């Protein structure tokens, strides 16, 4: 049984098709990241999974149950973009309160220390965005959930806090917890997730392991000198699209494998001024931008 | 950090939420002014100054207690729920093991807990300052039933406001209704001094005052409160939205 099973999900807001025919399966004990431009349908999909919004059509199952089943409430930890916590209460009081809703919550001091919350003695409304996100995360984790559903959980977090976040997610994965989350940090997700689903215009347009998605990324390289690319095109062949996208920044599209990478490096070394090293770059972010056409929304 | 906890028992969840919310309310200065300072001031002014007019100590206590019920079960409830809804707190709690029903029960319990505290304080003040203590058990029972029904009715209308309007509009309307009922609903100014005295008995506050003062068994004010509660619950279940 998959932790999350979505088949042909469609959700409309009036005439707008927010999600149209979306399919997604997340295996238990894995970390799945949803990537997509703003308005792609990520949050709407999570809302349906959490039973906050009905599906117009399609089939959705969460831990083998209907998303609106009240029995799911203690099995899922949630961070919502617009799901707040009591503004006047202090972090320790908030997390302690949520702990009392469970029969066997995590030890509070341990969790607060892991998330760096133990010394925050200000009301929730006076915390920074990153601190508020960490409190939300503590609330999501306190009940030992089987599934974490996190909508942009690292928003506002500094790099150190993001590192702690991913360490916690890794620990939970080792204990069999499934995480489904959205983020706007593709490369961060690329190094830690088991599965990445790219959502665009309400549909999953790619769903695979990060390494495989990165293979679809164009290759970028830079050179201080202007290069005449016509001979490189001859070296690589017609199936490769080579272009100088910005002055000194070059992109090669196509199925670039190791021999082609070596050929490109050798060609640039022979045509540059020979003094600078050529850096070949290929990343999940580039793969993502390629898939979504660089669309910001 | 092993996965697989279970939810606490429903009663424990509701009680935990009620205690948490009550603590937050008691730490809120504006809320204390509304639910404690104003009713106590009204009672003391009525007992100790000529502003009380011809009112007996018992009538002063009923007026102050009805005001406390209105402030807690309606105005305070509407404002806190409205802002919790705006900040997404209701959504988060609805997704927790507490759930939507647990949250509603906890909110009602908060009103009852605070009103129990207010009642105790106001009765003791009336006894100490005015020298009058309630001694009719049947009358007390009827008054208690009236308070419970009033809490239900006023909570339902508070949730209707908070769940249908923006938080700022809820704040304005809840305070306006509080002032209107305080001065025009037979609380500060006795109902029989008002030109619309025949009408006040049909208001939730007027019915509450009657349930606490009329001889046992005063079924009409209790029925009026049941009607307000039923209509409020029906409308709230139809128009309440968890997300702003």
């Amino acid at each position: 049984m998959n932790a999350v099973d979505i088949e042909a999900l469609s959700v409309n807001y009036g005439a707008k098709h927010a999600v149209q025919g979306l399919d997604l399966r997340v295996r238990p004990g894995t970390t799945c990241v949803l990537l997509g431009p703003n308005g792609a349908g990520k949050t709407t999909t999570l809302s349906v999974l959490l039973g906050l919004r009905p599906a117009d059509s399609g089939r959705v199952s969460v831990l083998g149950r209907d998303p609106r089943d009240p029995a799911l409430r203690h099995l899922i930890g949630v961070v919502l973009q617009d799901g707040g916590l009591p503004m006047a209460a202090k972090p320790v009081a908030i997390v302690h309160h949520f702990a009392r809703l469970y029969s066997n919550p995590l030890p509070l001091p341990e969790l607060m220390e892991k998330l760096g919350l133990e010394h925050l003695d200000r009301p929730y409304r006076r915390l920074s965005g990153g601190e508020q996100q960490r409190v939300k995360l503590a609330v999501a984790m306190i009940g030992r959930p089987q599934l974490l559903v996190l909508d942009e959980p690292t928003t506002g977090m500094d790099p150190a806090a993001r590192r702690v976040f991913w360490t916690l997610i890794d620990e939970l994965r080792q204990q069999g917890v499934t995480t489904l989350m959205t983020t706007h940090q593709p490369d961060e997700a690329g190094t830690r997730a088991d599965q990445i689903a790219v959502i665009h215009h309400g549909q999953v347009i790619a769903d695979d392991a990060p390494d495989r998605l990165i293979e679809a990324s164009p290759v970028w390289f830079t050179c201080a000198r202007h290069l005449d690319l016509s001979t490189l095109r001859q070296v690589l062949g017609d199936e490769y699209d080579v272009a100088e996208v910005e002055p000194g920044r070059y992109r090669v599209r196509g199925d670039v494998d190791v021999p082609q990478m070596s050929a490109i490096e050798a060609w640039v070394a022979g045509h540059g001024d020979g003094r600078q090293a050529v850096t070949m770059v290929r990343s999940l972010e580039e793969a993502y931008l390629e898939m979504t056409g660089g669309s910001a929304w | 950090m092993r996965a697989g906890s279970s939810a606490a028992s429903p009663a424990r969840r509701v009680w935990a939420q009620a205690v948490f919310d009550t603590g937050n309310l008691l730490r809120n200065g504006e809320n204390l002014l509304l639910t404690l300072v104003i009713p106590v001031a009204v009672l003391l002014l009525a007992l100790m100054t000529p502003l009380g007019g011809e009112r007996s100590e018992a009538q002063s206590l009923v007026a102050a207690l009805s005001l406390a019920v209105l402030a807690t079960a309606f105005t305070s409830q509407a404002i806190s729920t409205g802002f919790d809804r705006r900040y997404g707190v209701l959504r988060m709690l609805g997704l927790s093991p507490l759930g939507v029903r647990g949250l509603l029960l906890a909110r009602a319990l908060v009103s009852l807990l605070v009103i129990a505290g207010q009642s105790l304080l106001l009765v003791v003040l009336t006894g100490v300052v005015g020298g009058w203590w309630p001694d009719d058990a049947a009358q007390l029972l009827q008054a208690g039933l009236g308070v419970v029904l009033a809490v239900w009715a006023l909570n339902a209308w508070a949730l209707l406001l908070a769940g249908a309007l923006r938080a700022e509009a809820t704040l304005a309307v809840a305070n306006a209704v509080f002032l209107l009922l305080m001065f025009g609903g037979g609380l500060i100014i006795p109902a029989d001094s008002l030109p619309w005295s025949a009408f006040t008995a049909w208001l939730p506050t007027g019915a509450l005052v009657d349930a606490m003062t009329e001889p046992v068994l005063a079924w009409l004010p209790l029925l009026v409160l049941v009607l307000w509660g039923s209509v409020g619950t029906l409308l709230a279940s139809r128009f309440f939205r968890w997300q702003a």
Side-chain angles (χ1 to χ4, degrees), chain A residues 13-282:
Chain A
Y13 296 112
K16 185 181 180 320
H17 304 300
V19 176
Q20 35 188 338
L22 185 142
D23 294 303
L24 182 70
R25 274 160 202 88
V26 183
R27 283 177 290 114
T30 62
T31 300
C32 174
V33 171
L34 301 183
L35 284 179
N38 293 326
K42 305 183 298 295
T43 298
T44 301
T45 302
L46 296 191
S47 296
V48 174
L49 280 179
L50 294 170
L52 292 169
R53 176 175 293 287
D56 287 312
S57 64
R59 197 182 63 79
V60 179
S61 159
V62 181
L63 300 172
R65 298 167 193 259
D66 183 281
R68 285 161 297 182
D69 186 342
L72 279 175
R73 298 285 170 254
H74 72 273
L75 301 174
I76 305 179
V78 180
V79 170
L80 297 175
Q81 278 186 66
D82 55 355
L85 293 169
M87 289 283 158
K90 294 178 180 176
V92 71
I94 293 172
V95 184
H96 181 250
H97 168 58
F98 275 86
R100 293 179 67 194
L101 303 178
Y102 299 90
S103 64
N104 181 29
L106 289 174
L108 190 65
E110 186 186 314
L111 182 64
M112 299 299 275
E113 192 186 336
K114 273 187 177 172
L115 285 164
L117 297 172
E118 73 274 33
H119 299 306
L120 287 183
D121 197 31
R122 303 189 300 280
Y124 182 77
R125 67 166 170 270
R126 294 205 185 134
L127 302 179
S128 71
E131 288 168 337
Q132 289 188 347
Q133 286 297 90
R134 282 188 277 146
V135 180
K136 285 185 185 179
L137 207 54
V139 166
M141 290 177 173
I142 191 74
R144 301 178 193 266
Q146 288 181 20
L147 171 66
L148 280 170
V149 177
L150 313 174
D151 198 2
E152 298 188 18
T154 55
T155 301
M157 283 187 187
D158 59 35
R162 280 211 297 272
R163 185 170 293 180
V164 169
F165 165 78
W166 280 107
T167 303
L168 279 172
I169 295 296
D170 285 345
E171 275 181 31
L172 290 170
R173 174 172 39 195
Q174 283 161 18
Q175 285 145 25
V177 176
T178 311
T179 300
L180 175 61
M181 60 175 280
T182 67
T183 181
H184 286 299
Q185 311 279 343
D187 285 333
E188 174 183 87
T191 58
R192 314 298 280 260
D194 301 298
Q195 176 189 357
I196 292 187
V198 180
I199 298 184
H200 195 35
H201 296 312
Q203 292 178 318
V204 173
I205 58 169
D207 181 0
D208 216 328
D211 290 349
R212 292 185 183 221
L213 293 179
I214 291 170
E215 282 174 15
S217 160
V219 170
W220 292 81
F221 62 90
T222 54
C223 183
R225 281 184 57 190
H226 173 71
L227 300 168
D228 178 4
L229 297 173
S230 56
T231 54
L232 177 59
R233 290 190 184 107
Q234 287 171 4
V235 170
L236 291 173
D238 289 341
E239 66 268 37
Y240 295 92
D241 170 23
V242 188
E244 183 177 10
V245 178
E246 294 162 16
R249 192 158 182 260
Y250 301 85
R251 182 188 64 204
V252 183
R253 280 175 164 158
D255 187 13
V256 183
D257 54 18
V258 175
Q260 273 83 27
M261 294 273 269
S262 303
I264 294 167
E265 276 184 298
W267 182 86
V268 176
H271 288 75
D273 59 11
R275 282 179 299 181
Q276 75 280 345
V278 178
T279 307
M280 311 292 285
V281 178
R282 186 177 227 177

Side-chain angles (χ1 to χ4, degrees), chain B residues 64 69 79 85 87 93 102 118 127 139 163 237:
Chain B
V69 171
I79 293 169
R85 174 173 170 259
Y87 293 126
L93 289 169
Q118 289 166 322
Q139 188 71 44
S237 58

